[in-house]
Amino acid sequence: MELTYNQLKKRDVINVVDGKCLGRIIDMTFRFPQGIITGITVEGRKTFCLCRAFNKSNLFIPDRNIVKIGGDVILVNLKCGEVCS
């Protein structure tokens, strides 16, 4: 399957563990010169924080956690407590 970045960034990233929508892809990481995708970065959701009114942190998801790239969504497997950022 061949996809462009523009096609991928329109798809929601869903965690299969809890069904939550993590957001959409804002960046991809490649290994050069092999051209292998090593992970994706998803724009974090706004969360309330005492130090700042709203905090937005991006989430890096390694390629080993990507389960399936479908026609409408990208499924990832992030277990509770797993640090990927």
Side-chain angles (χ1 to χ4, degrees):
M1 172 184 355
E2 249 181 53
L3 295 170
T4 66
Y5 175 71
N6 283 330
Q7 291 170 321
L8 285 176
K9 73 178 184 177
K10 294 176 184 175
R11 297 177 184 171
D12 289 323
V13 177
I14 307 292
N15 188 1
V16 296
V17 174
D18 58 8
K20 288 186 180 179
C21 179
L22 301 175
R24 293 194 174 172
I25 295 177
I26 58 168
D27 200 4
M28 296 178 76
T29 307
F30 293 89
R31 185 176 300 140
F32 184 80
Q34 296 88 354
I36 298 170
I37 296 174
T38 57
I40 58 175
T41 302
V42 176
E43 184 175 23
R45 298 286 185 193
K46 290 182 182 179
T47 56
F48 184 73
C49 179
L50 293 177
C51 55
R52 297 181 196 129
F54 287 98
N55 185 19
K56 223 183 210 189
S57 60
N58 295 335
L59 176 66
F60 177 76
I61 303 170
D63 63 335
R64 68 179 176 271
N65 293 90
I66 299 172
V67 177
K68 175 101 174 144
I69 298 176
D72 298 325
V73 297
I74 298 169
L75 301 176
V76 297
N77 186 356
L78 296 179
K79 295 177 179 64
C80 185
E82 188 172 358
V83 178
C84 294
S85 50

